[in-house]
Amino acid sequence: MEEARPVRPEELDQTLALVNRVFRTGVDQDMSTDYPLVFASANLNNLRVVSEGGRIFSHAAMAHRELREHGCALPVSMICAVATDPERRRRGAASRIMEDATQAMAARGDAFGLLWTGPARDFYRRLGWEVVGSNGWTYLVEPQQAGRFEQPLPVRPFQAETDLERIIEIHEAQPRQLTRTQAEYRTLLTLPNSEVWMAEETGQAEGYLVVARAYNKSGVVEWGGTSRALSSLLARVLAEPAGERMQVFVPLPDNPMTELLTGRGCHTRIPMEVADGCGLKMVRILSLANLMRQLSPHLEKCLTGCSGQVSLWVRETGERVDLRWDGDNLEVGGGRSRDPQNGAQELSLRQAARLVFGPEKPSQVLDLSNESGQGLDRAFPFGFHIGMLDYV
Ligand SMILES: CC(C)(COP(=O)(O)OP(=O)(O)OC[C@H]1O[C@@H](n2cnc3c(N)ncnc32)[C@H](O)[C@@H]1OP(=O)(O)O)[C@@H](O)C(=O)NCCC(=O)NCCS
């Protein structure tokens, strides 16, 4: 078996055949069009494979993005399409690729790695990944509830040439997001088995909504705009096809869609992780010190006016992180050592993921002194939402 490496352009077809065999057998969809940004030629360097005798038999992809959340701009990589040929499993190929991807993510300074999985949670846990706090809610709306939504605005299909700029404007006015280029917006808004609807008044679009009916994405996977617009759009898409229950994805904190749904008596909801097409959200810490530095804008906001300090030592990597805060001042220091010197708290990579991303408070993950514990409990868990349209 060869070492893990980036795929070569001439191997792309063979790689797609493998991931389609593993993820799309019996499904009338194709991974290259379901995840066009992942399998784009510009992303080939992020597709990692293992081959033997010229035959590719294991693969994982990275999709690199910037996450804007709580005033921080975090470079992250989402991992997708991790697959080994069924006849060559349990020989360490996927683990080798995941280690290679982890090194690549760390080398480019990503804040963390991110993925969603159903069946393979324990495979990833062995590699330092951990399930973290929830990504959002999924409301389950019945077609007979369509009548609860007024339709004050006319609704029409999206036209890329004229509507793209306005959608970008509406989406980017929302407080949290994964950044996209204009070309990426265009690609995501024209995915197969999905429709985009616009609600407008006197020529100005007030809102939009993306509804997908695909194997990997199902329901209202993105929306934006005023409450009037969202109501009109929901009334339109719930009305057909008759008889179908619709998943509507929303972030955890307050937002206009949740307000609208609950205000109309739609209360049935499940954690996003258990909705169709999702999966458990898992994070891999790459460098805890780097992550803490990237989270500084958030930490400074949460820790202002108090003082404390905590030293952490990550068992698997020997990385030491010293956090000290006092008044307006936050310092992140650290280095490497063979053991947890000077009273640093020892933790595993998986505990580090939970310390930062929850779901519980840091003082439930680690035994922290009162003062430091209170400080960290104020800053974490750091919740973040990735919209369903951006899922890879
Ligand atoms: C998950 C998968 C990629 C692992 O590939 P692989 O090349 O066999 O992985 P490795 O040989 O590196 O590691 C296998 C180890 O992980 C464990 N493992 C593999 N799949 C697992 C799973 N679904 N749940 C828990 N553990 C799993 C195996 O038990 C094995 O450990 P062991 O040999 O000590 O028993 C492969 O099983 C696969 O393609 N599955 C179907 C697609 C899939 O579910 N992908 C993940 C989507 S998020």
Side-chain angles (χ1 to χ4, degrees):
M1 195 195 317
E2 290 173 8
E3 289 305 311
R5 58 171 174 81
V7 73
R8 299 180 189 120
E10 66 275 15
E11 294 169 327
L12 184 58
D13 287 350
Q14 205 197 134
T15 305
L16 280 167
L18 168 68
V19 295
N20 275 319
R21 199 159 60 243
V22 172
F23 293 108
R24 292 292 180 268
T25 296
V27 179
D28 184 22
Q29 288 179 218
D30 188 287
M31 292 289 281
S32 66
T33 45
D34 288 344
Y35 301 107
L37 300 179
V38 173
F39 294 103
S41 52
N43 200 44
L44 283 193
N45 203 37
N46 279 322
L47 307 188
R48 302 295 165 125
V49 294
V50 163
S51 69
E52 197 169 55
R55 210 178 134 205
I56 285 168
F57 67 93
S58 191
H59 164 268
M62 291 171 276
H64 190 236
R65 300 274 186 283
E66 187 174 89
L67 171 66
R68 300 232 171 111
E69 184 80 62
H70 302 306
C72 305
L74 307 169
V76 296
S77 287
M78 296 182 284
I79 299 283
C80 134
V82 183
T84 299
D85 185 332
E87 280 156 33
R88 307 208 185 186
R89 287 187 185 159
R90 302 188 70 170
R91 291 170 50 184
S95 304
R96 203 177 269 200
I97 292 187
M98 290 300 294
E99 294 291 1
D100 176 62
T102 301
Q103 278 176 22
M105 294 188 285
R108 67 181 166 215
D110 283 351
F112 55 92
L114 175 65
L115 61 79
W116 292 269
T117 188
R121 180 191 64 175
D122 292 339
F123 165 71
Y124 294 116
R125 286 181 114 193
R126 293 162 33 134
L127 300 169
W129 292 74
E130 186 55 291
V131 177
V132 296
S134 181
N135 193 39
W137 290 107
T138 304
Y139 281 82
L140 303 175
V141 186
E142 303 297 335
Q144 55 271 28
Q145 293 175 324
R148 299 180 184 185
F149 298 93
E150 303 98 52
Q151 199 170 352
L153 302 182
V155 169
R156 60 163 177 81
F158 158 77
Q159 285 161 352
E161 304 71 50
T162 47
D163 294 326
L164 193 61
E165 292 287 343
R166 180 68 183 133
I167 287 188
I168 295 175
E169 202 179 350
I170 295 171
H171 186 67
E172 304 213 334
Q174 293 177 349
R176 48 180 40 83
Q177 51 195 290
L178 221 48
T179 57
R180 301 172 184 157
T181 63
Q182 195 187 61
E184 287 168 347
Y185 268 100
R186 188 182 282 269
T187 303
L188 292 176
L189 292 169
T190 50
L191 287 179
N193 304 310
S194 71
E195 298 162 354
V196 184
W197 296 93
M198 309 295 300
E200 73 175 11
E201 190 165 50
T202 54
Q204 164 83 331
E206 270 199 31
Y208 75 103
L209 181 146
V210 184
V211 59
R213 294 190 177 86
Y215 172 70
N216 53 315
K217 287 185 171 64
S218 165
V220 175
V221 293
E222 185 162 303
W223 47 265
T226 62
S227 187
R228 272 156 35 101
L230 295 176
S231 177
S232 307
L233 289 157
L234 271 183
R236 173 70 181 75
V237 301
L238 287 170
E240 62 175 300
E244 204 178 283
R245 181 152 95 167
M246 184 78 84
Q247 302 190 127
V248 181
F249 295 94
V250 299
L252 286 182
D254 292 344
N255 61 77
M257 183 61 97
T258 302
E259 230 168 80
L260 176 66
L261 290 166
T262 53
R264 299 295 179 280
C266 301
H267 295 292
T268 309
R269 65 180 189 183
I270 54 176
M272 196 164 160
E273 287 68 25
V274 295
D276 287 348
C278 295
L280 296 169
K281 180 184 182 184
M282 298 188 84
V283 158
R284 171 67 151 81
I285 301 288
L286 303 162
S287 154
L288 191 55
N290 183 39
L291 174 60
M292 291 294 181
R293 285 190 192 101
Q294 288 169 327
L295 294 177
S296 291
H298 170 72
L299 292 174
E300 280 162 6
K301 211 165 30 182
C302 297
L303 298 174
T304 249
C306 58
S307 64
Q309 67 177 66
V310 61
S311 292
L312 305 167
W313 182 78
V314 183
R315 195 177 303 135
E316 294 93 327
T317 57
E319 188 186 16
R320 183 191 165 101
V321 182
D322 300 308
L323 272 180
R324 191 166 313 179
W325 60 97
D326 187 8
D328 288 343
N329 195 25
L330 171 80
E331 273 173 47
V332 183
R336 285 196 191 270
S337 58
R338 292 164 71 95
D339 43 55
Q341 293 158 350
N342 304 329
Q345 283 263 349
E346 180 174 340
L347 77 174
S348 65
L349 278 170
R350 283 168 44 197
Q351 281 177 311
R354 279 188 105 97
L355 179 87
V356 176
F357 298 109
E360 55 278 274
K361 290 270 178 200
S363 57
Q364 294 169 283
V365 178
L366 286 185
D367 180 19
L368 296 161
S369 80
N370 271 351
E371 199 183 17
S372 313
Q374 278 168 15
L376 291 191
D377 280 357
R378 232 187 275 180
F380 301 127
F382 181 90
F384 67 93
H385 176 79
I386 306 285
M388 193 61 194
L389 193 59
D390 288 301
Y391 260 50
V392 296

